[in-house]
Amino acid sequence: MSVRIDVTGLRRERVAFVPSPLAELGMALHVLSEPGHHPGLQGWVTGVTARLDTRLADRMCEADFLWRSTFSDLFMPFAGIPGRDTLPGATLADDLDLLDKLTDDQFVDAGLEFVCTPGYDARRRDALSDPEARRLALELAAARGPQQVRFARRLLADPPAVRAWLRRFLEDCGEAFFAETWSRLSHPLAADARHKTELLRHKGLAEALAAVSPSVALDEHAGRITVDKLIESRTHTGDGGLLLVPTSLGRPHLTVLHRFGWQPVIQYPVSAAEPAAPPSVEQLALRMTALSHPVRMRLCRYLARSAYTTGELAQMHGVTPPEISRHLAVLKKAGLLTTRRRGRYVLHQLDVTVVARLGSDFLEGLLR
C-alpha cells in the first residue's frame, strides 16, 4: 500500500523545500494531544503544558480531532490556493492570511476531514450546498462523538464564525508557546530545506527524495513518486508544483496531503540523529506472518540462543530437514535470520536486533 503522486511533466523549478510555521504549529498541537506518539519530546510537552493557561488548554479540546487523530489540511492552506504553486508564509501570520484565502467550500471540506468521508482524493459533493453530503457528514461526525457533531454543525451552519474562532485560537497558541518554539526550530528547518534544495539542484529529484525519507521513492520512468504508507491513494501535480515541508516535531509521522484539486505536499520529519531506514509495509507484513506460525516460533526460541544447522534443528524438533528448510526460508525471506558457513555446514541464527525492533517498526509503520 502507498500514496502515489503522478509527477509527469513536473519541472524542477516547481519543486520546493520550504518550512511552514502553520504546519509546524499543527504538528505541535498533535504532539501536545498525543505525546505517546513522540516519547522523545516529553520534556517539551511537560514544559509547555506546565505553563499553559487553563482557558487555552480547554479551547484546545474543542476541536482537537483536527490534529489529534487526523492532520487537518487546514494547517497547509497554501496547497489549496488556486494555481497550485503558492508557497508557505514566512511567519505564522502570513500562513494564517493564506488560510483566510480559502473559500468557504474549501474550508468546510478540509474541516470535515476528521469524519473520514469517502473520496478524499477525488472530486466530491459540497456539504454546504448538497443536502445528502451534509447529512452524511453529520451522520459520520455523530458516530465519532458529541464534541465532533457539535463542531460539524457549527462549521456547516456558520463557516465564517468557525474560521474566526480557529484563527484566534491559533494566534493565541502562537503567543502562548509556539513563537518561542518556532524561534528555536525555524533555523534548522530552513537549513534542512536549503540542503535538500541543493541536492535537488545538483543531483536531481530522486536524490533529494531519498534524503527526505527511505519511505519516499521516485520512479523516473513512470513519472511517479511512491510514499510507503498503510493507505492506498493517489494524486498528481498536474500543472502545479510539489511542496516538501520539513518538521522537527513530526517524527515518526510522514504525512502526505493528497486532497483532490490541491497541490501535493509531503511533510517529512528531520532530526539531528537520523534512524536506520525503516522496513517497508510489505517487509513488516512478511515478518509478522513469518513469526505467526507455531513451528517457526519454536525454531526462533532456539535460534535466539545460538546458531544451528538445518540437520540439528530437524533432530531437535523431530521433523524432516526439508520441512525445517522451508520454515527457515520463510524466516530468511522476512529478514529475520543471519547465516554463516562453518566448513561444509551452514549455521542459522535469529537476528535479535531486527526482532527487538519489530514492535517499534510496526508502530512507526502505523503512524507513518
Side-chain angles (χ1 to χ4, degrees):
M1 291 186 284
S2 60
V3 177
R4 296 181 296 280
I5 305 173
D6 186 341
V7 294
T8 304
L10 177 65
R11 302 194 305 275
R12 185 174 297 183
E13 60 269 21
R14 302 299 294 274
V15 179
F17 290 87
V18 56
S20 163
L22 182 55
E24 194 71 349
L25 174 53
M27 194 58 71
L29 290 168
H30 169 73
V31 173
L32 292 171
S33 298
E34 287 287 357
H37 291 188
H38 310 270
L41 294 173
Q42 191 59 54
W44 178 81
V45 171
T46 301
V48 170
T49 54
R51 63 178 188 271
L52 198 63
D53 179 80
T54 55
R55 288 171 296 181
L56 182 59
D58 289 341
R59 288 163 65 198
M60 280 187 183
C61 297
E62 289 186 46
D64 64 348
F65 40 82
L66 294 177
W67 50 80
R68 179 192 291 272
S69 54
T70 60
F71 295 103
S72 175
D73 293 342
L74 292 175
F75 291 97
M76 298 185 186
F78 40 83
I81 304 299
R84 294 159 59 98
D85 59 358
T86 300
L87 298 179
T91 67
L92 179 60
D94 292 338
D95 266 350
L96 291 175
D97 288 343
L98 293 176
L99 181 61
D100 289 341
K101 291 183 179 180
L102 295 181
T103 66
D104 280 350
D105 290 344
Q106 288 179 304
F107 185 86
V108 169
D109 191 38
L112 288 173
E113 183 182 339
F114 72 92
V115 301
C116 301
T117 51
Y120 173 86
D121 57 355
R123 187 185 298 277
R124 56 182 174 175
R125 293 179 296 186
D126 173 23
L128 280 180
S129 59
D130 188 305
E132 178 59 22
R134 181 190 188 92
R135 183 200 63 77
L136 176 60
L138 289 173
E139 179 181 304
L140 293 171
R144 290 187 166 263
Q147 180 183 345
Q148 288 88 333
V149 76
R150 282 195 299 269
F151 178 84
R153 284 173 176 160
R154 286 173 54 205
L155 183 62
L156 289 166
D158 193 354
V162 176
R163 295 175 77 125
W165 173 88
L166 181 62
R167 173 157 189 153
R168 182 59 186 168
F169 167 72
L170 295 173
E171 289 172 339
D172 289 346
C173 287
E175 294 175 8
F177 67 88
F178 184 69
E180 178 184 343
T181 300
W182 181 247
S183 68
R184 176 172 53 85
L185 299 181
S186 59
H187 297 297
L189 289 178
D192 181 88
R194 287 193 298 270
H195 171 65
K196 300 292 194 302
T197 300
E198 287 301 305
L199 280 177
L200 174 67
R201 181 177 297 125
H202 297 293
K203 296 190 176 181
L205 182 57
E207 288 283 342
L209 292 177
V212 163
S213 169
S215 301
V216 183
L218 172 67
D219 183 336
E220 294 186 271
H221 178 72
R224 181 174 62 238
I225 294 171
T226 300
V227 185
D228 187 54
K229 289 176 68 70
L230 271 168
I231 58 173
E232 189 72 30
S233 194
R234 64 183 64 211
T235 187
H236 62 89
T237 53
D239 59 354
L242 172 69
L243 286 177
L244 296 109
V245 177
T247 169
S248 285
L249 302 175
R251 190 175 303 280
H253 305 299
L254 177 67
T255 61
V256 184
L257 190 160
H258 49 102
R259 178 178 296 277
F260 180 83
W262 289 40
Q263 182 177 193
V265 182
I266 299 175
Q267 186 181 29
Y268 64 94
V270 301
S271 70
E274 187 71 19
S280 67
V281 170
E282 182 182 3
Q283 287 173 314
L284 281 172
L286 279 174
R287 289 174 183 176
M288 298 179 75
T289 301
L291 292 172
S292 67
H293 195 286
V295 172
R296 291 194 285 271
M297 289 180 69
R298 290 197 298 270
L299 287 175
C300 287
R301 182 176 186 272
Y302 286 87
L303 295 170
R305 299 162 188 248
S306 183
Y308 291 96
T309 66
T310 301
E312 289 174 322
L313 292 168
Q315 186 176 22
M316 286 187 288
H317 289 81
V319 297
T320 64
E323 185 176 351
I324 291 293
S325 292
R326 285 193 292 272
H327 287 299
L328 291 175
V330 173
L331 292 169
K332 187 172 183 179
K333 183 179 180 181
L336 297 171
L337 291 186
T338 62
T339 59
R340 69 178 189 272
R341 183 169 290 279
R342 187 181 65 194
R344 64 190 183 92
Y345 298 102
V346 176
L347 297 171
H348 309 277
Q349 191 163 13
L350 191 70
D351 191 332
V352 292
T353 302
V354 172
V355 176
R357 276 191 52 86
L358 189 57
S360 58
D361 284 342
F362 176 63
L363 183 60
E364 183 170 333
L366 293 178
L367 297 177
R368 189 187 303 154

